[in-house]
């Protein structure tokens, strides 16, 4: 049964790998739209990158929208230090011919959810949750119509990557994350705890290059660029690979282990703002609102990526 998904994203090399993997799996995932959000780099650049990615995949049938250009309350912070000035440094992809849809991404999310049968659309979020939260605030009726949200974000055992306490997607817009996690929508969270197990070792990157097509080569160049920062920071053989965990979970959930727990967001303390406070051991009676992915099979994950990327041009 094909699952309808909307990908909300701030590409970002790892976002690009997630989007390519989804677009390479039409038998399982019907990508009905892609919405860009400010995060890794500016909204305009993220949206332009999303256009380049659908063209790289040969899937210009998929509409691309621009959403919010800043968080709900806080000032935007970006991550050119990881992703490069374009946000997609590494491959030399041609300027996109495809253009953005005119409709605002938040309005598209609302229209799509209100026009499709309730419970038929899954939101896959790969960046800050600004667009999804703003859509929920603007049209609360969409909340009961979302099948589930599968999100990359948060951290608990792995702790933060942008501050000692917070993961980047949550830290950029903690208020949006708070709105979404309190919404009551069924949420699957792929935190740093699991994404840090998916290390892009030289052997795994070489396998992607050896696919020999445009997509495999571009992904090799993307990850070879974006991994530099983390290799130096963590001193590991490979860098974590974050966003493709969202798509891999939808394609092969058996690759992952997790449990249903309470996760809440710190939104006020400047020391810990953006922290995902996960009651992993059930020491409170807080509502269990998240299926929290704690670990995953890294070899199976990379085998899946290689197999799907090989399907692309
Ligand atoms: O912390 C990792 C997340 O932040 C990923 O989504 C990456 O693309 C960046 O947006
Ligand atoms: Ca991202």
């Amino acid at each position: 049964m094909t699952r309808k998904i909307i990908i909300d994203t701030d590409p970002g090399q790892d976002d690009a790998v997630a989007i390519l993997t989804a677009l390479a799996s039409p038998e399982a995932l019907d990508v009905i739209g892609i919405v860009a959000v400010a995060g890794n780099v500016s909204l305009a650049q993220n949206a332009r990158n999303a256009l380049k990615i659908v063209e790289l995949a040969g899937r210009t049938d998929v509409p691309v929208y621009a959403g919010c250009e800043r968080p709900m309350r806080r000032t935007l912070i970006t991550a050119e230090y990881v992703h490069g000035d374009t946000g997609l440094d590494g491959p030399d992809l041609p300027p996109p011919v495809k253009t953005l849809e005119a409709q605002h991404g938040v309005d598209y999310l609302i229209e799509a959810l209100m026009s499709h049968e309730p419970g038929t659309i899954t939101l896959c979020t790969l960046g800050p949750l600004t667009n999804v939260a703003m859509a929920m605030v603007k049209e609360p009726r969409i909340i009961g119509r979302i099948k589930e949200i599968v999100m990359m974000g948060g951290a608990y055992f792995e702790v933060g990557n942008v501050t000692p306490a917070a993961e980047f997607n949550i830290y950029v817009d903690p208020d949006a994350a708070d709105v979404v996690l309190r919404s009551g929508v069924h949420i699957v969270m792929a935190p740093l705890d699991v994404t840090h197990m998916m290390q892009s070792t030289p052997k795994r990157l070489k396998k992607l290059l050896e696919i020999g097509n445009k997509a495999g080569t571009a992904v090799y160049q993307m990850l070879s660029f974006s991994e530099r920062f983390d290799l130096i920071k963590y001193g590991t053989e490979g860098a974590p690979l974050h966003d493709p965990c969202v798509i891999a979970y939808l394609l092969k959930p058996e690759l992952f282990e997790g449990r249903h727990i309470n996760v809440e967001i710190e939104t006020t303390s400047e020391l810990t703002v953006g922290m995902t406070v996960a009651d992993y051991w059930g020491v409170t009676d807080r509502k269990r609102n998240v299926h929290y992915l704690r670990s995953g099979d890294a070899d199976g994950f990379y085998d899946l990526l290689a197999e799907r990327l090989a399907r692309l041009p």
Side-chain angles (χ1 to χ4, degrees):
M1 173 76 172
T2 304
R3 184 193 284 245
K4 290 188 185 310
I5 69 170
I6 296 173
I7 299 175
D8 194 275
T9 177
D10 62 338
Q13 290 87 350
D14 62 316
D15 303 64
V17 181
I19 296 167
L20 291 170
T21 305
L23 295 176
S25 310
E27 80 292 342
L29 302 174
D30 176 7
V31 184
I32 63 171
I34 294 174
V35 184
V37 66
N40 280 326
V41 290
S42 70
L43 170 69
Q45 192 59 57
N46 286 336
R48 181 178 168 79
N49 292 341
L51 292 170
K52 289 184 176 182
I53 294 159
V54 296
E55 289 188 348
L56 175 64
R59 289 293 310 279
T60 52
D61 57 299
V62 178
V64 179
Y65 300 81
C68 295
E69 62 182 353
R70 52 148 297 176
M72 293 179 86
R73 180 173 60 88
R74 292 173 70 87
T75 305
L76 176 64
I77 61 143
T78 52
E80 286 84 355
Y81 58 92
V82 175
H83 301 278
D85 289 345
T86 71
L88 205 59
D89 284 27
D92 182 15
L93 298 176
V97 173
K98 182 177 170 68
T99 56
L100 293 172
E101 303 300 314
Q103 188 178 30
H104 191 285
V106 170
D107 293 327
Y108 165 70
L109 286 170
I110 294 169
E111 182 186 285
L113 286 162
M114 295 306 287
S115 60
H116 283 78
E117 277 303 300
T120 58
I121 293 179
T122 297
L123 302 184
C124 298
T125 67
L126 312 179
L129 289 160
T130 314
N131 291 335
V132 175
M134 290 295 282
M136 288 179 172
V137 168
K138 183 169 183 181
E139 181 44 89
R141 287 181 299 166
I142 66 169
I143 292 171
R145 301 176 73 93
I146 299 168
K147 178 183 175 63
E148 70 180 338
I149 294 173
V150 186
M151 61 176 283
M152 191 278 137
Y156 190 59
F157 296 97
E158 177 56 42
V159 298
N161 61 357
V162 67
T163 75
E167 178 278 326
F168 180 81
N169 287 341
I170 309 297
Y171 183 71
V172 169
D173 198 341
D175 306 286
D178 191 42
V179 166
V180 173
L181 263 71
R182 290 180 185 278
S183 67
V185 173
H186 184 259
I187 292 170
V188 178
M189 181 180 277
L192 297 181
D193 305 2
V194 69
T195 69
H196 277 240
M197 293 181 71
M198 308 305 181
Q199 299 217 336
S200 58
T201 61
K203 183 165 168 267
R204 287 168 176 160
L205 286 185
K206 184 166 176 286
K207 214 176 141 200
L208 298 178
L209 180 63
E210 285 169 352
I211 295 170
N213 61 357
K214 271 195 323 174
T217 304
V219 162
Y220 174 81
Q221 293 167 337
M222 286 178 196
L223 298 184
S224 301
F225 179 90
S226 60
E227 71 169 6
R228 298 159 316 141
F229 178 81
D230 282 341
L231 291 180
I232 294 164
K233 175 178 174 181
Y234 295 110
T236 45
E237 191 197 7
L241 186 51
H242 307 293
D243 294 337
C245 289
V246 167
I247 303 303
Y249 173 80
L250 288 178
L251 294 174
K252 290 189 85 172
E254 64 273 19
L255 288 174
F256 301 91
E257 297 82 36
R259 64 171 66 172
H260 218 63
I261 64 169
N262 172 267
V263 178
E264 297 191 9
I265 308 293
E266 173 58 62
T267 56
T268 52
S269 151
E270 270 313 310
L271 178 64
T272 56
V273 64
M275 180 175 180
T276 44
V277 181
D279 184 5
Y280 194 81
W281 304 111
V283 298
T284 74
D285 57 0
R286 294 174 191 160
K287 183 172 177 291
R288 297 178 185 220
N289 57 335
V290 168
H291 184 68
Y292 190 86
L293 302 183
R294 175 73 177 86
S295 60
D297 167 5
D299 287 332
F301 172 74
Y302 276 92
D303 288 348
L304 176 64
L305 295 187
E307 184 253 323
R308 296 301 157 106
L309 292 172
R311 296 179 175 184
L312 296 174

